[in-house]
């Protein structure tokens, strides 16, 4: 199984899921921003992550992660019980829409656009939107993780998006910051981060 990656990108989420599963895979770093790339992602748009598993090719982070979970049904990352799965789906949807949309747009302004070309109005708007969304997050004190007692895909996507928010300078309360720290202290995350950044 091959996973096409790039440092500090969403490919980290795929590698994190794989490390949690204990699955074997080959990470392949793509020359994403090189004018003369030697390694190109097979994705139709050259994006990462991209998975090739023998005759199966999968694009888009969530689709890849769900495919992997379905190939490893013994993992607790993607529960089979309907109510538990619904909770995971709810948090995944929240992470990829409400939360990631303003955070990603703010991050693009800060990382990919030269400082003298950034839009103060856009940055102010996305900062406000990100703060508003994060203020709506309420962790259930009876749950060990975001969707219940088990660590799931929802934790991978939520904690990673929240970490992006922190990198953008968004203020995070102690409870959520502690949640991010717990998720990113997991051995699987540390292994995935090292491999993704190589």
């Amino acid at each position: 199984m091959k996973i096409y990656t790039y440092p500090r990108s969403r490919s980290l989420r795929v590698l994190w899921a794989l490390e949690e599963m204990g699955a074997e895979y080959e990470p392949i770093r793509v020359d994403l921003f090189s004018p003369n790339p030697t390694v190109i992602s097979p994705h139709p748009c050259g994006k990462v992550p991209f998975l090739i598993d023998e005759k199966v090719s999968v694009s888009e982070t969530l689709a890849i992660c769900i495919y992997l979970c379905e190939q490893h049904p013994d993992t607790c990352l993607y529960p089979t019980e309907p109510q538990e799965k619904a909770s995971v789906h709810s948090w995944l949807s929240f992470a990829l829409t409400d939360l990631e949309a303003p955070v990603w747009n703010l991050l693009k302004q800060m990382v990919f656009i030269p400082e003298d070309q950034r839009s103060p109005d856009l940055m102010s708007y996305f900062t406000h939107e990100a703060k508003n969304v994060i203020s709506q997050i309420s962790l259930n004190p009876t749950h060990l993780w975001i969707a219940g007692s088990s660590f799931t895909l929802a934790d991978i996507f939520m904690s990673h998006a929240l970490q992006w928010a922190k990198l953008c300078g968004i203020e995070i309360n102690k409870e959520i910051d502690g949640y991010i720290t717990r998720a990113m202290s997991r051995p699987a995350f540390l292994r995935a981060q090292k491999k993704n950044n190589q």
Side-chain angles (χ1 to χ4, degrees):
M1 182 188 304
K2 297 179 179 180
I3 309 292
Y4 290 81
T5 70
Y6 191 77
R8 295 177 292 281
S9 74
R10 292 181 182 89
S11 59
L12 172 60
R13 300 175 185 178
V14 174
L15 300 196
W16 189 355
L18 284 162
E19 290 293 334
E20 292 284 353
M21 297 172 191
E24 293 185 5
Y25 64 95
E26 178 187 357
I28 300 173
R29 176 174 171 162
V30 172
D31 299 328
L32 200 58
F33 298 108
S34 172
N36 299 297
T38 56
V39 182
I40 301 173
S41 171
H43 187 290
C45 299
K47 294 165 58 178
V48 297
F50 190 79
L51 174 146
I52 296 179
D53 185 16
E54 296 183 350
K55 295 183 179 180
V56 177
S57 297
V58 188
S59 60
E60 301 304 322
T61 310
L62 181 57
I64 293 171
C65 287
I66 290 177
Y67 169 82
L68 292 170
C69 287
E70 290 176 343
Q71 296 301 303
H72 297 81
D74 54 327
T75 178
C76 65
L77 287 180
Y78 194 60
T80 56
E81 195 277 321
Q83 186 173 350
E84 292 177 0
K85 182 179 282 190
S87 180
V88 169
H89 281 172
S90 294
W91 281 109
L92 285 170
S93 178
F94 179 84
L96 291 171
T97 54
D98 297 60
L99 177 57
E100 190 167 300
V103 171
W104 174 236
N105 279 294
L106 180 59
L107 197 61
K108 284 192 291 186
Q109 286 280 323
M110 298 178 70
V111 174
F112 298 113
I113 298 177
E115 188 172 358
D116 61 348
Q117 296 177 29
R118 294 172 189 165
S119 167
D121 289 341
L122 281 177
M123 292 186 69
S124 176
Y125 172 76
F126 291 132
T127 298
H128 172 76
E129 287 294 297
K131 287 181 176 179
N132 183 51
V133 170
I134 292 170
S135 72
Q136 298 171 22
I137 299 173
S138 179
L139 302 180
N140 189 327
T142 67
H143 290 173
L144 184 60
W145 294 102
I146 198 85
S149 60
S150 298
F151 183 88
T152 68
L153 280 184
D155 294 293
I156 290 176
F157 281 72
M158 280 295 297
S159 63
H160 192 226
L162 287 166
Q163 179 66 10
W164 277 2
K166 284 185 64 176
L167 292 174
C168 290
I170 303 296
E171 186 176 347
I172 304 289
N173 67 41
K174 280 187 176 182
E175 184 182 25
I176 293 176
D177 194 40
Y179 164 71
I180 298 169
T181 300
R182 281 195 300 117
M184 296 191 169
S185 296
R186 292 173 70 87
F189 170 80
L190 299 174
R191 293 193 300 270
Q193 184 179 51
K194 182 177 180 180
K195 292 178 181 179
N196 194 60
N197 288 343
Q198 287 177 345

